[in-house]
Amino acid sequence: MTLQHIERPVGISGHGGGNGFGTEALRLAGRTSARILSRYGVLLGFLTLWQVAASSGWVNTAVLPPIDTIVAALWKGLAGGSLLGDIAISLQRAGLAFAAAVVVAIPLGLVMGQVRAVETALDPILQLFRQTSALALYPVFILLLGLGEASKVFVIFWATLFPLLLNTISGVKEVDPKLLEMARVYGARRLTIFRRVVLPGAVPSIFVGLRLGATTALLLLIASEMIGANKGIGFQVMNAQYNFQIPLMFAAIVILAALGLIANQALVSLQRRLCRWSNTVG
């Protein structure tokens, strides 16, 4: 009898524990929802307003189609494969130009940041070309390289080169001089100082340049594909606008935005992995 009375409160306590677990789960769900709304609430509100305005006839749907129509056009283009080839060729152009800019800009920036004579010699011409828009030089690239792939890749490379180069130089110069002096005091060689002090100190700034360069590459990709191209996402934006296929035009724009977000997030994730000691990733 006594044992039964002892066991029953245990069951009641377990039931109360279940209520506590449910309450905690609700609190966790509420906090998660609050975080999502605080981060994406404005975006969701904007998309909802767009959908309502287009569906209710507040705006001209021929110019600003509803969100569901754009999503349907996007799905049709991806599922039917008509946009996949354009995505592939655009990624090939931007990726090749971005990789070439990385190969050139980072080593050159590391040298210019450490060797004053090299920086003094190259800085004037660097500043001259940096202030000249890549789009303004695009006709020159077309005259020199033709309307084919070479001019498109080169104008993207040219525009991507400078933010990456300048951020690399800045990162090298911002390395704490006390760390360099301490390494020299302990007898570290120049190569060791470069590997252990300079390069790790410059990596956060280099990643800033990489993210800016990736954004620049996509922007110039659109511009280059709108001139003398017959494939690519930028071409699809222009071609859909000419043919008044407005949902397809917006679908291509969504793809470009998604590519930019994916590239940026990939670089942020890589930076967090390589720079766990740094809290500057954002």
Side-chain angles (χ1 to χ4, degrees):
M1 186 72 176
T2 306
L3 183 60
Q4 290 177 352
H5 281 89
I6 294 174
E7 289 176 349
R8 284 177 184 173
V10 172
I12 295 172
S13 176
H15 182 70
N19 287 336
F21 178 78
T23 303
E24 185 62 29
L26 288 174
R27 288 176 181 172
L28 180 60
R31 287 195 297 266
T32 303
S33 300
R35 283 198 299 268
I36 292 174
L37 286 175
S38 65
R39 185 172 180 83
Y40 301 107
V42 175
L43 176 60
L44 293 173
F46 169 73
L47 295 176
T48 302
L49 178 62
W50 183 341
Q51 175 68 26
V52 171
S55 301
S56 303
W58 299 347
V59 295
N60 186 356
T61 55
V63 177
L64 200 66
I67 297 294
D68 57 350
T69 304
I70 297 172
V71 172
L74 177 62
W75 173 254
K76 182 180 178 181
L78 293 176
S82 61
L83 290 177
L84 295 179
D86 294 301
I87 294 174
I89 192 66
S90 293
L91 288 176
Q92 179 181 338
R93 288 167 179 159
L96 182 60
F98 184 76
V102 169
V103 169
V104 173
I106 292 181
L108 182 59
L110 292 173
V111 172
M112 290 181 67
Q114 293 186 97
V115 183
R116 180 60 62 87
V118 176
E119 182 186 9
T120 301
L122 296 181
D123 186 66
I125 192 169
L126 171 64
Q127 295 301 327
L128 173 64
F129 285 126
R130 183 172 76 90
Q131 301 301 330
T132 306
S133 170
L135 288 177
L137 293 174
Y138 191 29
V140 179
F141 299 151
I142 291 175
L143 289 174
L144 294 174
L145 302 172
L147 269 172
E149 293 298 307
S151 61
K152 293 176 178 56
V153 172
F154 193 79
V155 72
I156 300 170
F157 160 79
W158 188 262
T160 306
L161 179 70
F162 294 103
L164 184 51
L165 177 60
L166 293 173
N167 276 277
T168 302
I169 296 172
S170 176
V172 173
K173 289 186 173 183
E174 289 175 359
V175 175
D176 192 345
K178 294 180 180 179
L179 295 177
L180 297 174
E181 185 63 28
M182 185 181 298
R184 294 190 189 100
V185 168
Y186 280 97
R189 299 178 180 179
R190 292 194 64 170
L191 182 60
T192 304
I193 293 175
F194 173 77
R195 289 192 302 108
R196 300 289 187 179
V197 181
V198 175
L199 189 57
V203 163
S205 184
I206 290 173
F207 268 98
V208 172
L210 287 170
R211 293 167 64 184
L212 290 173
T215 301
T216 304
L218 287 174
L219 292 175
L220 267 294
L221 171 70
I222 300 167
S224 65
E225 289 182 340
M226 287 181 176
I227 302 174
N230 56 10
K231 289 289 287 184
I233 299 299
F235 164 77
Q236 280 293 352
V237 172
M238 184 65 68
N239 187 60
Q241 188 263 334
Y242 281 153
N243 292 294
F244 216 68
Q245 297 173 305
I246 305 303
L248 180 60
M249 182 190 75
F250 277 105
I253 293 173
V254 169
I255 291 174
L256 286 168
L259 291 177
L261 289 173
I262 291 170
N264 182 74
Q265 190 57 47
L267 289 171
V268 168
S269 299
L270 181 60
Q271 182 178 358
R272 284 176 177 158
R273 184 177 296 272
L274 295 178
C275 307
R276 296 178 182 176
W277 45 268
S278 174
N279 294 321
T280 59
V281 183

